[in-house]
Structure formats: structure tokens, C-alpha cells
């Protein structure tokens, strides 16, 4: 007679084998799982590469701390940091001429400059003893308005009235100073015909308020924060520049254009005719095509943020970014523009 124990053991063995068979993955399932894992790893690596720059630094030379260059630049470098995790920051400077020299010395990767200074730099004229070759342009930005300010009691109303007066022409070798010098020359004057002080925006506004100056150049995008502060409690008056004279100057200095400072910008009842110079966003030519493509892409994708930072950025658009370029366009920027034109 057979006992129950062997049957029980036989049943247990069969059950164990069945469970093992059910839990063992087949070859196809294993291969599919491995392929999915490999694919995910590849996608992750591609995303990581897309979100990085080859350059370790993306320093942007701007201008004075209170100026549009620095305010807009701070928002832009924040976007670069967030997007690429790169060490991106602004460098406060004396603006355009210094920025071009820093770029040439490879101390910064990018810069905001005025087009008149950029023109001098690529030609090796005026403040530049030799042409700067390692510079390419990403975009034409917004116009810098020549804002010449005085007090109503000064009697200065037009550019010609500046002769013999004490005026601030911007920080020495800044874009402001360069266009002040060029405009004086266009009107048949030089520094010998005026008393010059080299003062930046805030210093010039303070000197006007204290009566140490008759007038000052504060060339920038609109509005200039130093002028907005000066407007409070000061009998501010803007000096006009004849549009016909600006058109005459533009025949040889093509970066000049006739513009108007809109009524109400600084409490002015009517629009004030003046000259303007386009700003430029430039980069070192030796940065890779891929890096500059990414920098350009993020720049345009951040326009809403830049416009929130400063009203002057409202003048920047993809449609006008290639108009009036002074330096050669960087291949990375061109790649981005070519893509946009296809869409």
C-alpha cells in the first residue's frame, strides 16, 4: 500500500517547476527590455549634449550698471545659465570700445556694442589701431537714441547751441563718447569748441542737477533710467537734432539714422527729433557654430523676458535682426536664421 508522503512530495515538485517556468523571461522579452534601456540611455545622452555648450564660459560685456545694456544682459545671461548650466554672467564695463577690446583679448565671449564703434573696430579706425578680426555679429538689436539733455533755463535748444558750453560726452571711449565726437564733427565742431567732461549716465545726471554742466549726452535705448530719475525735480529739456543734418551725416556714417524721442518719454510735450545708432550683439568668431546657434536660439526665445527687463528690448525682433549688420554674421547665427526662414 502506497503512503501519502511520496504523493505530497511529487505534487510539491511539480508546482515548483511550474512557477519557475512562469517567472523565467523569454529571450524576446529580455532583448526588448535591453533595447528599451539602451534607447533611453541614448536619448538621455542626446538631451544632455543638446543642453550643454562646448564653451565653459559665456560672459557678456555690457556697460554701466544702470544702463539698458546691463539690465537686458543680466536677464539674457540668466537664461543661458538656466538653459545650459553654463557659467554665464555680465561684465559691467565702460561700454562699446572697452567691450570690443575685451572681446579681442578673449576675456569675454560676447558683447553689446554700438554699431559706430563696431564699424571702427572691424576697420581699425579711430580708437582701434588695427582691425579686430575675431568678431562676428549675432544680431542687430534696438536703436540707441542720442539723448542730449539740458535745463530749460540754459537757452540750449538745438545741437548748434552746444558750442562753447560745458557738456558731458559719456565715459571716455564709450559708445556715447564716440557718437558725441562724431556728431560734433558732423556739425563742424570738435572738443576744442566745447568744455568736455567724461561722465557716465548717473554721474552726468547728478552734475546737471548740481549745475556743474550745461548739457549731457546720454545715448541709450528708451527710456534711460538716469534721465527718468533726473526728470523728478529738474527742469529737464531735450536738445533737438535736425533730421536733414542727420541724413547728410548718414551718407558717410551709415549707422546714423534720423529718429524721434516720442512725446511724453521724459515729460516732453512734443516728439524731439534726434539721431540714433543701432546696437549690435556680437560674439567671438572662434566660438563653435553649434554654441553660437544655441546662444542665438535662446536669445530670441527669451525676448519676452528681455522686454520685461527693459523697455528698450521691445525694439528687438527676429524680422529686423539681420538689417544693418556691421560685422560678418557668425555661421551659428546664420544657421538659426536659415531655419527660421524655412518655417
Amino acid at each position: 500500500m502506497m503512503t501519502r508522503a511520496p504523493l505530497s512530495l511529487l505534487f510539491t515538485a511539480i508546482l515548483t517547476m511550474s512557477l519557475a517556468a512562469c517567472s523565467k523571461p523569454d529571450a524576446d522579452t529580455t532583448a526588448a527590455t535591453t533595447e528599451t534601456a539602451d534607447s533611453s540611455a541614448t536619448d538621455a545622452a542626446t538631451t544632455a549634449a543638446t543642453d550643454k555648450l562646448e564653451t565653459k564660459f559665456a560672459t557678456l560685456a555690457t556697460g554701466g550698471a544702470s544702463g539698458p545694456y546691463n539690465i537686458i544682459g543680466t536677464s539674457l545671461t540668466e537664461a543661458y545659465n538656466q538653459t545650459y548650466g553654463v557659467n554665464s554672467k555680465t561684465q559691467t564695463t565702460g561700454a562699446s570700445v572697452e567691450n570690443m577690446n575685451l572681446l579681442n583679448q578673449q576675456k569675454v565671449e560676447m558683447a553689446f556694442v554700438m554699431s559706430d564703434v563696431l564699424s571702427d573696430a572691424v576697420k581699425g579706425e579711430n580708437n582701434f589701431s588695427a582691425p579686430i578680426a575675431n568678431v562676428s555679429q549675432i544680431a542687430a538689436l534696438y536703436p540707441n537714441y542720442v539723448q542730449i539733455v539740458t535745463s530749460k533755463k540754459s537757452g540750449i535748444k538745438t545741437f548748434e547751441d552746444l558750442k562753447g558750453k560745458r557738456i558731458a560726452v559719456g565715459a571716455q571711449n564709450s559708445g556715447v563718447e564716440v557718437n558725441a565726437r562724431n556728431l560734433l564733427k558732423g556739425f563742424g565742431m570738435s572738443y576744442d569748441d566745447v568744455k568736455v567732461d567724461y561722465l557716465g549716465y548717473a554721474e552726468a545726471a547728478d552734475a546737471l542737477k548740481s549745475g556743474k554742466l550745461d548739457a549731457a549726452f546720454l545715448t541709450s535705448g528708451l527710456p534711460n533710467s538716469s534721465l527718468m530719475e533726473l526728470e523728478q525735480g529738474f527742469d529737464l529739456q531735450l536738445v533737438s537734432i535736425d533730421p536733414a543734418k542727420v541724413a547728410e551725416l548718414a551718407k558717410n556714417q551709415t549707422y546714423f539714422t534720423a529718429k524721434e524721442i516720442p512725446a511724453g518719454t521724459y515729460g516732453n510735450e512734443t516728439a524731439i527729433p534726434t539721431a540714433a545708432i543701432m546696437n549690435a550683439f556680437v560674439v567671438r568668431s572662434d566660438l563653435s557654430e553649434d554654441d553660437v546657434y544655441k546662444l542665438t536660439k535662446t536669445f530670441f526665445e527669451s525676448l519676452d523676458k528681455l522686454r520685461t527687463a527693459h523697455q528698450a528690448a521691445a525694439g528687438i525682433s527676429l524680422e529686423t535682426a539681420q538689417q544693418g549688420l556691421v560685422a560678418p554674421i557668425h555661421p551659428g547665427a546664420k544657421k538659426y536664421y536659415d531655419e527660421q526662414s524655412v518655417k
Side-chain angles (χ1 to χ4, degrees):
M1 184 176 180
M2 188 177 291
T3 64
R4 290 173 176 264
L7 289 172
S8 176
L9 289 171
L10 179 62
F11 177 76
T12 301
I14 293 170
L15 179 62
T16 302
M17 290 172 66
S18 298
L19 290 172
C22 291
S23 62
K24 183 179 179 181
D26 58 42
D28 290 342
T29 302
T30 302
T33 303
T34 303
E35 184 178 346
T36 301
D38 290 345
S39 177
S40 298
T42 301
D43 290 345
T46 302
T47 301
T50 302
D51 291 343
K52 298 294 181 183
L53 298 177
E54 293 173 32
T55 180
K56 294 180 180 179
F57 302 97
T59 304
L60 174 63
T62 56
S66 65
Y69 276 7
N70 199 59
I71 295 169
I72 295 169
T74 298
S75 288
L76 180 58
T77 52
E78 286 173 357
Y80 288 151
N81 276 317
Q82 292 167 3
T83 306
Y84 304 111
V86 68
N87 185 351
S88 186
K89 61 183 179 181
T90 58
Q91 183 165 328
T92 304
T93 68
S96 297
V97 174
E98 182 179 348
N99 291 356
M100 289 305 306
N101 287 325
L102 289 170
L103 202 76
N104 191 42
Q105 295 160 9
Q106 298 191 358
K107 292 181 178 179
V108 299
E109 286 67 45
M110 307 168 289
F112 289 156
V113 297
M114 289 175 63
S115 289
D116 51 355
V117 173
L118 180 56
S119 176
D120 286 349
V122 297
K123 293 176 182 176
E125 296 178 349
N126 296 322
N127 290 290
F128 303 95
S129 58
I132 292 179
N134 190 21
V135 58
S136 296
Q137 196 158 349
I138 285 180
L141 299 177
Y142 57 88
N144 259 8
Y145 290 74
V146 178
Q147 298 163 78
I148 307 172
V149 63
T150 185
S151 65
K152 291 176 181 174
K153 63 184 178 183
S154 70
I156 302 171
K157 294 183 178 181
T158 67
F159 194 95
E160 291 87 345
D161 295 332
L162 294 174
K163 192 169 186 177
K165 305 297 184 182
R166 179 171 290 279
I167 62 174
V169 294
Q172 194 161 19
N173 290 330
S174 65
V176 179
E177 198 245 323
V178 169
N179 73 71
R181 200 176 335 119
N182 287 339
L183 280 169
L184 285 167
K185 183 179 179 181
F187 278 81
M189 290 187 275
S190 70
Y191 282 177
D192 292 335
D193 298 299
V194 292
K195 302 178 183 72
V196 170
D197 280 334
Y198 297 102
L199 301 174
Y201 298 142
E203 295 83 1
D206 288 343
L208 280 167
K209 192 180 294 185
S210 63
K212 295 177 181 178
L213 289 175
D214 297 310
F217 283 76
L218 285 87
T219 302
S220 74
L222 296 178
N224 182 292
S225 59
S226 293
L227 283 186
M228 291 180 72
E229 291 178 15
L230 180 63
E231 183 189 349
Q232 310 303 315
F234 182 75
D235 62 338
L236 184 153
Q237 179 169 296
L238 294 167
V239 178
S240 66
I241 304 177
D242 183 0
K245 192 67 177 178
V246 176
E248 185 180 327
L249 288 172
K251 291 177 182 177
N252 294 319
Q253 298 169 325
T254 55
Y255 40 77
F256 275 125
T257 183
K259 293 277 187 182
E260 287 187 339
I261 300 171
T265 303
Y266 305 109
N268 48 305
E269 294 181 359
T270 60
I272 306 297
T274 190
I277 304 101
M278 288 300 293
N279 289 294
F281 183 15
V282 296
V283 65
R284 288 199 341 239
S285 301
D286 59 0
L287 263 64
S288 74
E289 178 177 330
D290 188 58
D291 274 5
V292 177
Y293 169 81
K294 291 173 183 174
L295 293 170
T296 305
K297 182 175 185 289
T298 302
F299 170 69
F300 284 105
E301 290 178 348
S302 303
L303 281 184
D304 285 345
K305 179 180 181 180
L306 304 186
R307 289 163 183 157
T308 300
H310 197 285
Q311 184 179 330
I316 305 171
S317 73
L318 181 61
E319 292 72 26
T320 61
Q322 297 181 80
Q323 296 175 9
L325 297 178
V326 176
I329 189 168
H330 194 285
K334 186 177 186 303
K335 178 182 176 182
Y336 177 77
Y337 291 129
D338 288 347
E339 282 185 359
Q340 297 308 303
S341 65
V342 171
K343 295 180 180 179

